[in-house]
Amino acid sequence: MDKEKNKEGGVDRLINQTTSRREFLKMGGKGAAGAVLTVSLVSFLSSCTTTGLGAGKKRVWATASGAVIHSTARCSGCRRCETNCTMSNDGKAHPYIARVKIGRNLNFGKKGPTAAYWMNDGQIGNLKIDGETCHQCADPYCGNACPVGAIGVDPSTKARVVDEAKCIGCGACERACPWGMATLDPEAKKSKKCLLCNGDPQCARYCPNGAIKFLPWAEAVKLYQAHGQDHI
Amino acid sequence: MGSMTGWTGKVLRVNLSTGAITTVDTGKYVNYIGGQGLGYKVIFDEVAPGTDAFDPANKIIFSVGPLTGTGAVCSGRTTVTTCSPLNPYSAVADSHFGGYWGSELKYAGWDAVIVEGKAATPVWIRIEDDKVTIESARRLWGKGTFDTQAEIASIMGKEAHVACIGPAGENLVPASFIRTGQSHHGGGHGGVLGSKNLKAIGIKGTQSVKIASNAAEWNKVLRENLAVIGANNQHVVPNSPQPWAEYTAATRWTAAPGRFWGAAEPPVETGTCDPKDLNSIGFRTLKSVFDLGPLAEKYTVRMGGCSSCPIRCHSELKIPALEKFGYSPYVASTCVGFSGPGAVMLKGSKDVVEKDDGPLMAKALGAQITNDLGVWCNYSQIAKDFDYAYNSGIIKKVLSPEEYTAMRFDLLEAKDVSFLTYFYEAIAFKKGEFSHMADGIAILAKRWNFGDDYWNTKKYSVWSKMGYPKHHSNETDAQVGTLISIVKNRDAQNHSHMNFIGSGLPLAKQREIAAEIWGNADAIDEPLNYTPITKAKIKFAKWSLVKLALHDSLTLCNWMWPMTVSPLKERNYRGNLGLESQYYSLATGTKKTEAELDFDAERVLHLHRALTMLQMNSKDMRKDHDALPSWIFNPKGGFVKGSDYMDRADMELSMDMFYEELGWDKATGAVTRATLLKFGMADVAAALDKKGLLLG
């Protein structure tokens, strides 16, 4: 988005639509190294998120173009998405760091095994598969937690992406994500999180059951909310 | 070690007698590929011929291969190799399970686990990446397979994958299995784990499987693979007319508009599944309806299967009526995993919930009980053995009157499926004389003094004195099926030939393709219109065995591989037989053509032969091992249209030609010195020579 359009569209448009973090910071008069906005500026931007102001500074994120969504009804648990993800993005088969998480809940659901495991989620339970995908949060826990500003916004998809050159492998993002999606690669010592594969997520493209979809963000949010996740 | 790709480079060795946990370099086994080849080599190197299956000196090897866990299509299988308790010589046999355990083993950094010795008290093995420990199984012993998996996952974490035995394995039932996940088991080896006091192996891995090549090259092969793949058993023609399809045939491509995963929430339509639609491959096989009939559709939650496999051949069902019998309503299995356990209802099964649902309920309940208790149906043989023993009056003779009453055969007679609980619990908990029902053909027939009619009647389908039943033998593919059935020490479980002849393509098309691969269209006969042996049939039989060894070693699923044909008219239905070697080359960095990799797989086959000769102390395999059952032959000689009869003279000639093609001695079927040396197996030749078993 060019600056002229931003001016014409006003601040709301600037925040809620597609401006990248870098562009926004330029407009706010901050250099790339700043990576934060002052509270006063955030207060001025009334439609901006007002939570998590913490140390008095707030970073503002362009909304992602979309998010990857998993359908438990259609999923058959083959986990091809996990190896498609890491083979395409990391050149190896590595489900542990896959940006879409099917395997970890496969047998016993999100809760893990309980005494009533056979009635609870999972293949060894009621057969329900609790797949998890990155929400590309409006206000991403991973990005906000990163101490070195290594998580930014992809210029084309607006996905929250890791700049591996900057990432120091501290795992702050992994600890911050409420859904456990960002994962520290124990081999590369870098954070791995969903980067939307330049707008063509490989997990979705090759899902043999069409159980993973890449949806526009607003639709994805509706689906998350339909599953009781109102935080988005 | 450590620098390999494809393979992890490390084999884990756990000695349960001493508690020693050590590592072996995988490089030692690379000539044998991995999986089955690795398993055979360990038995050859380390287990003395004549070792009883339940002797602590026997070893059991859980092995995967260079493609397992890479994301190669259908690469989720594990091969389990040991001296078999079902074989009268405790000869080597491999069983296999799918699921996620094998891939997880790779992700933990291991190509195989060799278990040796015997623990003093029950234990389980815990593998978390490089950290391996032997844990007490005191609290797990006696539990079913599902409770065991839940208990271990509650200790290791929900991501853990567990392979375990149920009470049947603990009680040394020869026909018992090793289970992982909801619906996967490898038959026949559960008792070996029990004999070692080993309840389970749990794995959690955080590592990667690396490939020598790059993602672009790898994904190119993957896309080609997804282009040529069909439905289950590589059936490439749909079961009902579809807008994209030229042909229709009685295949496992059972998806269709109006056919649903009926118990999914919301129900999911399987649909037309155009072969070019990569996002509906997983719907092609609606196996629940194929295995259990149309009533199963409404119970189908989904189709499941193994890691990395887009073809979902396991039916996952919610059948509320199972709770009446004390079991979870959620049951999953496939094919003989349903039909085998249910076939015990010799007199039929009466309705449970609705009209004519008895057979479905018998299969579902039978699967559920055996899944939990760990009893293996021995590829349906247990029901045939029961049929013989029950209907011939033997059971009445060998059981005490009290035991006979307690077995509730009245329920069997009343067609009440709850009989299945009595049947399988007696076996798994080793209750009384009846429990020997699961001793397997060789031991049971001797114990209960079965007559010649048992061995010689087609109905009981006993293939061999080696103690195994027919499995895609003469009834499906004439001489080819017969020849592939004589080699192993258990049922043949070969699908290289079955996938091809069952693909659904018209016979003329199949013959066209057969001529390209095996040199002549006469490699295949019209179903049940058999003709004399030909050179192309011999080549087809050898090819089928070599491909099976290849797949069980790489590991790829032989219920899908090889990709001989495709569903694509524009390719004239040709598949791609080079895919295995392309994956192998990219993964390991060692470039091999299809022929070169098949050569390695053939080595595995020769090792199996030599090992069996050593274990049987025989160099006349034709007589001692490969003897054919009498019931396959036409008493009048010749072939009869509409019958699966074989001709004895033709079959003797077939065996001559088959042995020659394999480089085995024409008269005896013994693997020769020249062949072993050709394959670089001087150590194997020396071992045979030492025992006076080497010809040539």
Side-chain angles (χ1 to χ4, degrees):
Chain A
M1 178 178 288
D2 62 48
K3 283 184 188 174
E4 291 307 309
K5 276 194 178 169
N6 287 341
K7 281 178 188 166
E8 286 166 17
V11 176
D12 288 353
R13 180 187 169 106
L14 182 80
I15 295 170
N16 290 331
Q17 294 194 357
T18 57
T19 306
S20 74
R21 180 178 62 90
R22 184 174 299 164
E23 285 167 330
F24 186 87
L25 289 172
K26 267 187 192 168
M27 291 195 62
K30 291 275 185 180
V36 287
L37 297 173
T38 62
V39 172
S40 58
L41 180 53
V42 170
S43 302
F44 170 68
L45 304 172
S46 58
S47 62
C48 179
T49 176
T50 54
T51 55
L53 296 181
K57 296 187 172 178
K58 180 63 189 170
R59 188 165 152 185
V60 177
W61 297 79
T63 304
S65 56
V68 168
I69 295 288
H70 169 262
S71 157
T72 186
R74 297 179 72 85
C75 178
S76 71
C78 71
R79 301 176 64 188
R80 289 206 59 77
C81 49
E82 295 179 345
T83 49
N84 280 337
C85 169
T86 63
M87 192 57 84
S88 298
N89 291 305
D90 310 282
K92 56 184 181 177
H94 200 175
Y96 178 76
I97 63 162
R99 288 90 170 160
V100 45
K101 310 282 191 192
I102 306 298
R104 68 184 180 192
N105 301 331
L106 188 72
N107 282 339
F108 295 105
K110 285 182 190 168
K111 278 200 283 193
T114 66
Y117 67 89
W118 61 289
M119 298 303 284
N120 290 330
D121 288 4
Q123 290 279 280
I124 306 183
N126 62 16
L127 305 174
K128 186 164 183 272
I129 297 174
D130 297 335
E132 294 178 281
T133 53
C134 174
H135 300 176
Q136 304 294 351
C137 301
D139 191 26
Y141 295 85
C142 56
N144 290 334
C146 180
V148 294
I151 296 181
V153 173
D154 178 81
S156 64
T157 63
K158 310 295 181 282
R160 286 76 177 96
V161 294
V162 178
D163 180 343
E164 291 199 9
K166 285 188 191 166
C167 175
I168 56 169
C170 67
C173 53
E174 182 178 299
R175 292 187 294 277
C177 176
W179 302 281
M181 293 309 298
T183 305
L184 186 64
D185 182 342
E187 295 168 351
K189 312 286 185 210
K190 299 288 179 186
S191 170
K192 305 287 178 175
K193 72 163 296 299
C194 180
L195 65 168
L196 296 179
C197 301
N198 295 315
D200 185 16
Q202 298 299 290
C203 54
R205 169 172 277 247
Y206 292 106
C207 172
N209 287 66
I212 298 177
K213 300 271 190 222
F214 178 44
L215 296 179
W217 203 78
E219 287 180 38
V221 167
K222 269 186 216 154
L223 283 173
Y224 279 125
Q225 288 171 342
H227 286 84
Q229 297 178 342
D230 296 327
H231 56 274
I232 307 272
Chain B
M1 201 187 297
S3 62
M4 296 179 92
T5 57
W7 297 280
T8 66
K10 291 185 304 176
V11 171
L12 176 65
R13 183 190 294 276
V14 180
N15 187 313
L16 295 176
S17 298
T18 65
I21 295 166
T22 51
T23 301
V24 183
D25 188 344
T26 306
K28 186 177 168 185
Y29 301 105
V30 162
N31 285 345
Y32 290 93
I33 303 174
Q36 183 186 81
L38 189 153
Y40 290 168
K41 190 64 166 63
V42 172
I43 297 286
F44 172 79
D45 287 340
E46 303 181 16
V47 180
T51 302
D52 184 79
F54 292 153
D55 190 302
N58 186 17
K59 303 191 181 190
I60 186 162
I61 302 103
F62 295 77
S63 48
V64 293
L67 297 187
T68 318
T70 58
V73 168
C74 316
S75 60
R77 290 184 70 79
T78 302
T79 302
V80 187
T81 309
T82 192
C83 298
S84 167
L86 289 164
N87 181 282
Y89 297 87
S90 288
V92 68
D94 43 298
S95 69
H96 318 86
F97 54 74
Y100 304 83
W101 192 94
S103 299
E104 196 72 12
L105 182 65
K106 289 284 288 285
Y107 300 140
W110 303 101
D111 291 315
V113 185
I114 302 169
V115 181
E116 53 193 35
K118 177 183 179 177
T121 55
V123 296
W124 62 282
I125 297 171
R126 177 175 185 168
I127 302 173
E128 286 178 67
D129 290 326
D130 294 339
K131 194 179 165 207
V132 181
T133 53
I134 301 171
E135 309 282 343
S136 169
R138 187 173 294 277
R139 225 164 54 80
L140 297 175
W141 207 251
K143 284 188 190 291
T145 64
F146 296 123
D147 280 1
T148 301
Q149 293 183 76
E151 288 273 0
I152 289 179
S154 73
I155 295 166
M156 293 185 69
K158 62 182 178 174
E159 311 92 331
H161 290 280
V162 179
C164 65
I165 54 171
E170 294 173 11
N171 292 318
L172 309 187
V173 173
S176 57
F177 60 56
I178 300 168
R179 158 159 291 271
T180 183
Q182 166 65 286
S183 60
H184 306 274
H185 61 251
H189 296 350
V192 176
L193 250 62
S195 74
K196 297 186 175 306
N197 268 331
L198 179 59
K199 179 69 175 174
I201 304 178
I203 310 176
K204 211 166 82 169
T206 64
Q207 301 171 53
S208 67
V209 176
K210 295 172 187 64
I211 60 166
S213 183
N214 56 53
E217 291 293 319
W218 181 264
N219 285 338
K220 212 167 114 186
V221 177
L222 203 55
R223 306 300 169 244
E224 162 69 2
N225 197 163
L226 293 173
V228 299
I229 202 168
N232 179 225
N233 282 18
Q234 190 55 8
H235 290 178
V236 297
V237 169
N239 184 288
S240 59
Q242 303 299 337
W244 55 268
E246 187 177 13
Y247 308 116
T248 303
T251 66
R252 298 180 180 199
W253 190 312
T254 32
R259 280 191 195 150
F260 285 82
W261 291 1
E265 295 175 2
V268 176
E269 189 172 21
T270 56
T272 52
C273 295
D274 188 306
K276 291 191 188 62
D277 176 13
L278 299 182
N279 301 124
S280 64
I281 300 175
F283 294 113
R284 291 177 186 175
T285 306
L286 184 58
K287 194 74 184 325
S288 54
V289 170
F290 187 87
D291 285 343
L292 303 165
L295 292 178
E297 187 177 353
K298 63 175 172 295
Y299 294 130
T300 306
V301 176
R302 68 163 55 74
M303 295 302 303
C306 307
S307 72
S308 293
C309 185
I311 303 303
R312 314 310 282 167
C313 69
H314 285 225
S315 305
E316 300 187 356
L317 311 165
K318 181 183 182 183
I319 305 179
L322 293 182
E323 288 190 80
K324 288 186 190 177
F325 305 97
Y327 280 89
S328 161
Y330 303 102
V331 59
S333 195
T334 188
C335 205
V336 174
F338 280 121
S339 62
V344 159
M345 296 302 296
L346 303 176
K347 310 288 176 178
S349 303
K350 68 180 180 191
D351 301 346
V352 175
V353 177
E354 62 182 314
K355 193 170 174 321
D356 298 332
D357 70 353
L360 177 149
M361 292 296 177
K363 288 173 185 173
L365 180 62
Q368 191 74 303
I369 298 169
T370 53
N371 283 352
D372 195 35
L373 298 179
V375 180
W376 184 43
C377 73
N378 196 9
Y379 193 67
S380 277
Q381 188 61 31
I382 199 165
K384 292 169 187 169
D385 293 347
F386 178 51
D387 185 358
Y388 180 81
Y390 184 77
N391 286 320
S392 67
I394 287 175
I395 285 185
K396 190 133 206 177
K397 274 189 229 153
V398 297
L399 265 54
S400 69
E402 295 76 25
E403 188 181 352
Y404 194 88
T405 306
M407 277 306 300
R408 298 298 309 272
F409 294 116
D410 57 311
L411 295 173
L412 175 74
E413 293 292 339
K415 305 179 184 180
D416 181 335
V417 295
S418 62
F419 171 70
L420 294 167
T421 58
Y422 293 88
F423 184 94
Y424 290 112
E425 284 172 7
I427 289 169
F429 296 106
K430 211 79 175 185
K431 287 194 239 169
E433 182 63 24
F434 186 79
S435 67
H436 292 283
M437 196 72 249
D439 280 359
I441 292 167
I443 305 168
L444 179 66
K446 209 167 165 185
R447 183 181 185 93
W448 287 356
N449 199 21
F450 285 4
D452 286 346
D453 55 333
Y454 169 70
W455 297 98
N456 299 332
T457 306
K458 183 177 179 178
K459 181 182 177 189
Y460 306 115
S461 65
V462 179
W463 188 266
S464 168
K465 296 271 184 190
M466 294 301 108
Y468 61 83
K470 79 168 166 65
H471 190 159
H472 301 322
S473 308
N474 65 302
E475 81 288 359
T476 43
D477 197 7
Q479 294 96 339
V480 175
T482 304
L483 291 169
I484 61 106
S485 298
I486 65 175
V487 174
K488 293 299 197 83
N489 294 314
R490 58 162 297 176
D491 59 300
Q493 51 172 0
N494 194 322
H495 296 80
S496 311
H497 64 315
M498 279 308 295
N499 296 351
F500 180 69
I501 62 173
S503 70
L505 291 173
L507 185 66
K509 185 67 68 186
Q510 286 184 35
R511 284 186 157 157
E512 228 176 75
I513 297 169
E516 291 165 13
I517 303 172
W518 304 295
N520 198 304
D522 64 16
I524 47 173
D525 284 327
E526 191 183 336
L528 299 185
N529 189 11
Y530 297 166
T531 61
I533 189 66
T534 67
K535 199 155 175 45
K537 283 184 184 176
I538 295 294
K539 284 190 183 299
F540 185 15
K542 178 186 168 181
W543 177 93
S544 299
L545 282 161
V546 168
K547 293 295 184 192
L548 177 64
L550 174 67
H551 300 143
D552 286 342
S553 300
L554 280 173
T555 54
L556 294 173
C557 177
N558 184 255
W559 277 255
M560 281 305 299
W561 289 87
M563 302 282 150
T564 318
V565 292
S566 79
L568 304 174
K569 188 181 177 190
E570 64 269 30
R571 292 175 68 133
N572 204 6
Y573 301 102
R574 267 56 173 181
N576 189 333
L577 292 173
L579 286 166
E580 295 97 322
S581 58
Q582 290 166 27
Y583 276 134
Y584 178 94
S585 302
L586 294 176
T588 66
T590 303
K591 283 199 168 51
K592 283 190 192 277
T593 62
E594 182 196 349
E596 287 164 346
L597 193 58
D598 280 357
F599 187 81
D600 287 346
E602 190 177 337
R603 183 180 293 119
V604 175
L605 192 58
H606 295 313
L607 179 59
H608 180 277
R609 194 63 171 181
L611 190 47
T612 304
M613 289 169 64
L614 287 164
Q615 290 175 323
M616 294 181 69
N617 194 29
S618 167
K619 56 184 173 185
D620 193 348
M621 296 295 277
R622 187 178 195 126
K623 177 168 145 281
D624 296 339
H625 184 279
D626 302 347
L628 295 166
S630 63
W631 54 262
I632 66 170
F633 294 116
N634 184 355
K636 294 176 187 163
F639 299 102
V640 181
K641 190 169 180 179
S643 152
D644 60 8
Y645 269 142
M646 306 303 297
D647 174 75
R648 194 177 278 277
D650 177 81
M651 225 28 253
E652 292 296 333
L653 174 64
S654 301
M655 286 170 79
D656 290 349
M657 293 168 70
F658 179 64
Y659 292 152
E660 277 191 312
E661 182 72 23
L662 281 160
W664 296 354
D665 180 63
K666 184 176 164 180
T668 63
V671 62
T672 63
R673 181 194 303 271
T675 298
L676 291 172
L677 295 182
K678 180 181 161 193
F679 284 84
M681 302 164 76
D683 56 335
V684 179
L688 285 172
D689 205 9
K690 201 172 154 193
K691 298 277 181 184
L693 300 173
L694 189 63
L695 297 171

